[in-house]
Amino acid sequence: MSSDPTTSPVSAEVERQVDAADSTLHNPRRAVLALGSNLGNRLETLQGAVDALEDTPGVRIKSVSAVYETESVGGPEGQRSFLNAVLVLRTTLPPSSLLERANAVEDAFGRVRDVRWGPRTLDVDIIEYEGVVQDAPELTLPHPRAHERAFVLAPWLDADPAGEIPGHGTVAELLAAVGEAGVLRREDLALHLPE
């Protein structure tokens, strides 16, 4: 190991401490994003979305849920099941910019929006943004149906046991109310933060 501090590797512990301090973000906000995919290599697509979001300036992913498999809700009959996950992040992006980035990531993975709730390579939804409540044509916060969707609530509870949806209650209470029927935690699959 060199005695020159500019060439010495940084220990993993130091990297963790720096990441935990959000030192690269000024006045960050907490946001929760839900990911889903039911076309192509679903796990690879979800991992690509995690990588792309973490690579976004002003975004640091703090927690990644386990991967869950669920039947499609709404939309055309006979769709392949979805893989779903939830990310908890810290961001300096305002909700509108985070939405633009989420849409750009979807587009990069070939998302086609021709059938409402139809099959899709990737779905990236902003579920909650630090308690913000808004009803705008381009973005409603919190997500208007998150509180009734087990495929969002189960991974969210996994990623953030203290999670809460403004105006609806805690994620744990909401999941208990809707139940976990049709939501399978895939112990054989996992998403990872980029190293």
Side-chain angles (χ1 to χ4, degrees):
M1 186 190 278
S2 168
S3 61
D4 180 354
T6 63
T7 62
S8 296
V10 176
S11 74
E13 180 57 30
V14 169
E15 286 184 354
R16 279 192 290 277
Q17 289 174 4
V18 169
D19 286 346
D22 285 322
S23 65
T24 61
L25 302 180
H26 178 69
N27 197 22
R29 304 286 188 226
R30 182 181 171 283
V32 177
L33 272 60
L35 308 178
S37 175
N38 76 337
L39 289 177
N41 186 329
R42 300 170 298 165
L43 183 64
E44 186 177 287
T45 298
L46 293 183
Q47 184 62 60
V50 170
D51 295 347
L53 289 163
E54 177 64 14
D55 198 37
T56 302
V59 171
R60 290 292 169 268
I61 298 173
K62 305 311 292 179
S63 180
V64 180
S65 76
V67 176
Y68 290 77
E69 188 158 15
T70 62
E71 296 303 316
S72 62
V73 175
E77 295 279 327
Q79 290 188 61
R80 182 181 183 194
S81 62
F82 276 82
L83 291 184
N84 296 100
V86 164
L87 309 177
V88 177
L89 44 98
R90 302 290 283 167
T91 183
T92 56
L93 300 178
S96 59
S97 297
L98 187 58
L99 177 64
E100 285 178 18
R101 180 60 177 165
N103 288 338
V105 171
E106 289 178 342
D107 292 345
F109 284 90
R111 169 75 188 264
V112 177
R113 295 171 176 81
D114 56 356
V115 177
R116 184 169 189 194
W117 296 327
R120 45 207 174 269
T121 52
L122 180 62
D123 196 16
V124 180
D125 287 330
I126 302 173
I127 302 301
E128 197 268 333
Y129 186 98
E130 196 154 299
V132 170
V133 176
Q134 74 176 37
D135 189 4
E138 67 281 353
L139 180 62
T140 299
L141 291 171
H143 189 286
R145 291 171 297 282
H147 66 282
E148 57 194 31
R149 290 180 166 175
F151 67 84
V152 171
L153 297 169
W156 187 354
L157 183 64
D158 183 65
D160 180 14
E164 192 171 329
I165 301 179
H168 294 284
T170 69
V171 172
E173 293 167 341
L174 294 166
L175 181 58
V178 301
E180 295 184 56
V183 178
L184 172 66
R185 183 180 170 125
R186 292 288 304 267
E187 299 293 347
D188 58 322
L189 304 177
L191 298 173
H192 305 281
L193 285 175
E195 297 194 11

